[in-house]
Amino acid sequence: MDAILLQVLNGLDKGSAYALIALGLTLIFGTLGVVNFAHGALFMLGAFCAVTLQKILTISFEVVDPTRLDFLGNPLKVKTPYVVSWFGEAAGNGIIAWSVPLAILFAIPVMIAIGFAMERGLIKHFYKRPHADQILVTFGLAIVLQEIIKYFFGANPIPTPAPPAFTGSFDFGVLLGFDPNVIIYPYWRLVYFAFSAVIIGCVFAFLQFTTFGMVVRAGMADRETVGLLGINIDKRFTIMFGLAAAVAGVAGVMYAPINSPNYHMGMDFLVLSFVVVVVGGMGSLPGAVLAGFLLGILESFASMNEIKSILPGIDQIIIYLVAIIILLTRPRGLMGRKGVMED
Amino acid sequence: MIKSHLTRRGVLKTGSVAGAGLAVPTIFTASSAAAYTNEPTGNTVTLGFNVPQTGPYADEGADELRAYELAVEHLNGEGDGGMLNTFTSKALTGNGILGKKVAFVTGDTQTKSDAARASAKSMIEKDGAIMITGGSSSGVAVAVQGLCQEAGVIFMAGLTHSNDTTGKDKKANGFRHFFNAFMSGAALAPVLVKNYGADRNAYHLTADYTWGWTQQESIQAATEALGWSTVNNVLTPLASTDFSSYIAPVLNSGADVLVLNHYGGNMVNSLTQAVQFGLKDKMVNGKQFEIVVPLYSELMAKGAGASIKGILGSTNWSWTLQDEGTKAFVKSFGTKYGFPPSNAAQTCYAQTLLYADAAERAGTFNPCGLGAALEGFEFDGLGNGPTLYRAADHQCFKDVLVMQGKQDPTSEYDALEIVEVTPRAQVEYSPEHPMFAGGELGSCNPGA
């Protein structure tokens, strides 16, 4: 029982990341009809927003300490961040330690701007082209973005720790009447799950309860008719692209303490997120979220030693296996709409 | 009217005689013009540096390339000479190799076996490289070593730690300076028992490829020989980034030690996540829970950040050593690049010097003569203390370093400190050891 609860928890945070990326993918596909293979790269860029802010906050001035030597035997240059110098040691180090949550504020405008630039500069030229062209161009764009990040930040993962208040883990076992240390879970992963739930809720509320969202939903259902009513749907869809980029970006920011960011991290999520979108149903936002959590939890269960001892390697194929079964039994996915990608 | 006398038998006879006639001069030409593959004829000799320039180990590859460029400078008599000044063999004088100026070409392994073979092949066939060296993965090393054996050039392995490289996959044309998984286990296990006690239950997470398998087998055997038990060994896919579902079961397994047989990004992620799960802070079986990383790299330690503090592991070399060879190399490298070299850089630099020195001593670039000069060669002054290139398997034997994540690093390059220098005698093994069985060195191939 304890092992099952632990894997459910594991699946929830993995599912949160899948759901957030898949949500953005579905938004773009549902509004613009574009299959965006660069969406994983947006997640990666978000994580690097956290890295960038951390680097900005740790920009330092050097003071030579003649009493200590560096590796070449020269007097050691001691680095002190300007933030520490300006705000004092406690406050300055506190700001640096909270760089990941602060990076959300940094990432939102940056990612919206990147989203606008991508959509206006490149992707709008491919709206009427076949999906194969869209996949090729966005996949190429993802590789370009990866290489740019690698050029500036290197290929190695960059440690981006969570604030000290969220290090360590919470003992769920004690809460549920189990022995101590049986079901423990890192605080930051709980924060990530809660954060994802809030973001998903905000996106749904935005689409459901605002006039802008209503028009976008109408456009997703029938773009031509909305256009005939004199509404500039293209402009709204561009804004939705920026919003989807921001969702992917903040998902990446908050994921940075879980997996140290590296230039390839977007690709690691991209393929699985597409499977999530297809399983959830192309164009279905609730489907994307449902499939994200479902597949995240299934993947965690498949990693259990008890299951792997019966079915070796099942953890590597479970998502694809489930996808095949669902698509055979429900060809439009769990919550797919009729007519989407069927013409 | 012309009558034709062509018959099937006649055509075959004529054809075979003509073919033999054409072939004879070619064979003679080959043997007289080049006694071995890419025999240098001008006043330069070209070395092929095959390192990961793209992909997950690109930073490590960049450090290897820096070391190679430095070695070429020193061989050509430029710079301060580095470890040429401390190397016990005095065959190298800064006048290139055998009087020929050293040039180099580079290839990108991408840390993929097929890409690495393709880049090595291109450097041999198109650029005339007489030797191939480099790499940051055992899978790549084994693949490129096999290619060099077939092509008739020497392969001086870079960073490769699997037992198989000089075990079941060893080749007469291949030579490894870097230590291996068996040596890590033999060096690390006594330190683990000394620090954590003999009554321990270990849980292994192991990268599912050649290096991971041999690393796990080695550390398990070494720790069990000193009293530890192994609770479980779980193979993790190389492409994994989130290890939480593999780490969670450790909590209820009864294990009080987690051994992470991971390298590179795998190691950074699995260690970071194990620490996030609070494993280092737990008490299990009445003992403090411990994490072990058998193979360390400075660049990976940097990536793991504060998670590395207090974690024990092993390395081939460290820039913090205080022998004359290390000091000379660190000074050269640090002055040129502004930071200290990694142990991948040191092994690549040493391999280049060892190749050049063997050519000088043998008086030839012929892989067979040069290989014979490396076999059984004893030397010092390259940073690892007295070292032997064993003839039986082309593996270097030298001291091994047990390292620990530093509690209070002074810079980003200062993440690890030396806990123990394990003497060479403690990590030696027979060439017939079961972990290295199954392959034949074979005979050297000069190609051509």
Side-chain angles (χ1 to χ4, degrees):
Chain A
M1 186 61 189
D2 48 349
I4 291 171
L5 283 172
L6 206 48
Q7 294 301 350
V8 169
L9 284 169
N10 268 330
L12 283 178
D13 78 68
K14 207 176 283 186
S16 303
Y18 291 156
L20 280 175
I21 300 175
L23 185 68
L25 273 173
T26 306
L27 270 177
I28 292 171
F29 181 76
T31 52
L32 305 170
V34 171
V35 182
N36 182 19
F37 262 66
H39 203 69
L42 294 173
F43 177 77
M44 178 269 293
L45 288 178
F48 275 89
C49 281
V51 173
T52 305
L53 186 67
Q54 183 181 261
K55 286 196 181 294
I56 290 171
L57 291 175
T58 50
I59 291 174
S60 306
F61 60 89
E62 290 180 342
V63 177
V64 176
D65 181 353
T67 62
R68 296 159 73 193
L69 301 176
D70 69 6
F71 74 99
L72 287 174
N74 302 319
L76 185 69
K77 290 174 184 165
V78 180
K79 290 181 177 178
T80 306
Y82 284 103
V83 175
V84 172
S85 168
W86 293 335
F87 298 103
E89 192 154 347
N93 285 326
I95 293 169
I96 293 169
W98 281 77
S99 64
V100 170
L102 289 173
I104 292 173
L105 303 174
F106 175 66
I108 289 172
V110 169
M111 294 307 298
I112 288 175
I114 290 173
F116 279 4
M118 265 174 73
E119 200 272 340
R120 289 290 94 186
L122 184 70
I123 290 177
K124 76 167 186 178
H125 303 294
F126 287 82
Y127 285 160
K128 290 178 182 160
R129 301 278 282 271
H131 286 310
D133 289 9
Q134 297 171 354
I135 290 171
L136 279 175
V137 76
T138 52
F139 193 72
L141 179 63
I143 292 171
V144 169
L145 291 172
Q146 271 190 193
E147 292 304 314
I148 290 171
I149 289 295
K150 197 171 81 177
Y151 178 78
F152 285 106
F153 293 93
N156 273 340
I158 300 170
T160 316
F166 295 107
T167 53
S169 50
F170 180 69
D171 199 331
F172 271 105
V174 173
L175 200 69
L176 299 170
F178 291 97
D179 292 334
N181 291 339
V182 171
I183 309 175
I184 60 171
Y185 209 66
Y187 286 119
W188 187 256
R189 287 180 184 248
L190 293 172
V191 169
Y192 192 77
F193 173 62
F195 176 79
S196 305
V198 169
I199 293 290
I200 291 166
C202 287
V203 171
F204 276 90
F206 178 71
L207 291 172
Q208 201 67 35
F209 303 120
T210 64
T211 311
F212 186 98
M214 188 182 71
V215 174
V216 169
R217 279 189 294 124
M220 285 170 79
D222 190 341
R223 181 187 183 127
E224 202 172 331
T225 307
V226 174
L228 288 171
L229 290 171
I231 296 168
N232 184 354
I233 196 72
D234 282 354
K235 188 179 164 192
R236 286 163 199 263
F237 282 178
T238 304
I239 293 170
M240 287 313 293
F241 196 99
L243 183 67
V247 169
V250 293
V253 168
M254 294 296 278
Y255 202 74
I258 294 175
N259 264 1
S260 300
N262 69 83
Y263 75 101
H264 200 261
M265 66 189 295
M267 284 293 179
D268 299 334
F269 274 94
L270 182 72
V271 177
L272 287 176
S273 300
F274 263 100
V275 176
V276 167
V277 170
V278 172
V279 168
M282 293 297 288
S284 167
L285 296 175
V289 175
L290 176 69
F293 284 108
L294 178 73
L295 294 182
I297 291 170
L298 277 174
E299 196 184 10
S300 276
F301 274 110
S303 305
M304 288 173 73
N305 295 333
E306 293 81 356
I307 293 176
K308 281 172 67 179
S309 62
I310 302 166
L311 297 166
I314 186 70
D315 53 330
Q316 290 301 289
I317 59 166
I318 183 73
I319 284 188
Y320 305 101
L321 206 60
V322 171
I324 290 168
I325 293 167
I326 288 179
L327 291 179
L328 281 175
T329 52
R330 295 179 65 87
R332 293 193 189 108
L334 290 173
M335 300 177 78
R337 289 179 292 124
K338 192 178 177 184
V340 178
M341 268 198 112
E342 288 178 354
D343 48 352
Chain B
M1 186 177 171
I2 300 166
K3 192 177 177 184
S4 170
H5 293 285
L6 277 178
T7 62
R8 186 183 64 87
R9 186 179 294 272
V11 169
L12 284 174
K13 271 171 137 179
T14 314
S16 56
V17 169
L22 285 169
V24 167
T26 311
I27 294 163
F28 284 160
T29 307
S31 61
S32 60
Y36 49 90
T37 299
N38 292 337
E39 180 180 2
T41 50
N43 54 8
T44 62
V45 58
T46 305
L47 309 182
F49 301 146
N50 205 22
V51 303
Q53 296 179 46
T54 58
Y57 295 156
D59 286 358
E60 203 151 55
D63 217 40
E64 290 186 356
L65 209 48
R66 287 182 199 109
Y68 283 131
E69 288 174 9
L70 193 64
V72 168
E73 270 185 30
H74 292 169
L75 288 172
N76 286 334
E78 298 158 16
D80 63 5
M83 284 204 271
L84 282 189
N85 303 317
T86 58
F87 192 14
T88 47
S89 173
K90 297 299 174 193
L92 295 166
T93 56
N95 186 31
I97 309 174
L98 292 173
K100 294 180 188 295
K101 187 176 165 81
V102 182
F104 66 90
V105 289
T106 67
D108 181 8
T109 67
Q110 302 173 33
T111 314
K112 293 175 185 165
S113 298
D114 51 351
R117 281 176 67 96
S119 57
K121 194 165 183 284
S122 169
M123 287 191 285
I124 295 166
E125 291 180 354
K126 292 184 183 162
D127 303 315
I130 195 163
M131 172 270 262
I132 299 294
T133 178
S136 274
S137 148
S138 291
V140 162
V142 167
V144 175
Q145 184 166 258
L147 176 100
C148 290
Q149 178 71 33
E150 292 160 17
V153 300
I154 290 285
F155 175 61
M156 302 295 280
L159 194 155
T160 163
H161 189 248
S162 169
N163 291 340
D164 292 348
T165 311
T166 46
K168 75 176 179 61
D169 295 314
K170 58 183 172 283
K171 295 280 183 279
N173 283 36
F175 292 84
R176 170 161 66 178
H177 172 266
F178 206 68
F179 72 149
N180 59 39
F182 177 92
M183 295 174 176
S184 279
L188 197 51
V191 178
L192 294 176
V193 170
K194 188 175 145 197
N195 281 270
Y196 306 146
D199 182 24
R200 283 282 185 168
N201 299 307
Y203 192 109
H204 293 250
L205 292 183
T206 302
D208 195 5
Y209 75 109
T210 173
W211 171 75
W213 304 328
T214 65
Q215 176 57 73
Q216 194 280 329
E217 182 188 27
S218 300
I219 192 78
Q220 178 176 340
T223 51
E224 286 185 351
L226 296 176
W228 283 26
S229 301
T230 303
V231 174
N232 203 351
N233 173 37
V234 176
L235 298 177
T236 59
L238 193 56
S240 293
T241 53
D242 187 358
F243 292 88
S244 57
S245 45
Y246 300 104
I247 291 168
V250 178
L251 295 164
N252 307 325
S253 66
D256 43 40
V257 177
L258 173 63
V259 182
L260 296 172
N261 298 299
H262 287 152
Y263 188 69
N266 275 184
M267 187 280 265
V268 170
N269 287 327
S270 65
L271 176 60
T272 305
Q273 289 160 18
V275 172
Q276 282 170 0
F277 266 81
L279 292 188
K280 268 167 79 178
D281 306 323
K282 300 296 169 200
M283 295 293 288
V284 180
N285 306 328
K287 305 178 195 87
Q288 182 70 45
F289 195 98
E290 302 291 352
I291 302 173
V292 177
V293 177
L295 177 61
Y296 260 147
S297 128
E298 299 86 343
L299 295 167
M300 306 314 162
K302 195 173 144 191
S307 302
I308 210 89
K309 288 182 180 179
I311 307 285
L312 286 165
S314 66
T315 61
N316 185 61
W317 174 84
S318 165
W319 66 267
T320 60
L321 284 165
Q322 288 303 310
D323 61 285
E324 292 308 312
T326 296
K327 284 199 274 189
F329 180 52
V330 172
K331 182 166 175 264
S332 288
F333 192 100
T335 306
K336 185 171 170 70
Y337 301 113
F339 47 84
S342 64
N343 76 141
Q346 185 262 349
T347 205
C348 291
Y349 180 91
Q351 284 282 70
T352 314
L353 261 52
L354 285 165
Y355 173 85
D357 174 75
E360 288 283 353
R361 287 186 292 111
T364 177
F365 290 103
N366 186 319
C368 293
L370 198 148
L374 278 172
E375 287 179 342
F377 180 48
E378 296 246 23
F379 60 92
D380 198 353
L382 294 186
N384 299 98
T387 304
L388 163 71
Y389 236 130
R390 188 161 71 179
D393 53 6
H394 295 184
Q395 170 68 55
C396 265
F397 286 84
K398 52 198 176 336
D399 298 346
V400 171
L401 305 184
V402 176
M403 309 291 286
Q404 189 166 34
K406 214 169 179 177
Q407 292 293 347
D408 191 19
T410 54
S411 75
E412 58 184 323
Y413 305 106
D414 188 33
L416 301 170
E417 63 185 342
I418 299 169
V419 174
E420 184 185 280
V421 180
T422 304
R424 172 173 134 188
Q426 194 179 312
V427 300
E428 284 177 334
Y429 55 87
S430 157
E432 282 81 40
H433 190 284
M435 285 185 199
F436 295 84
E440 289 294 330
L441 196 62
S443 53
C444 76
N445 176 22

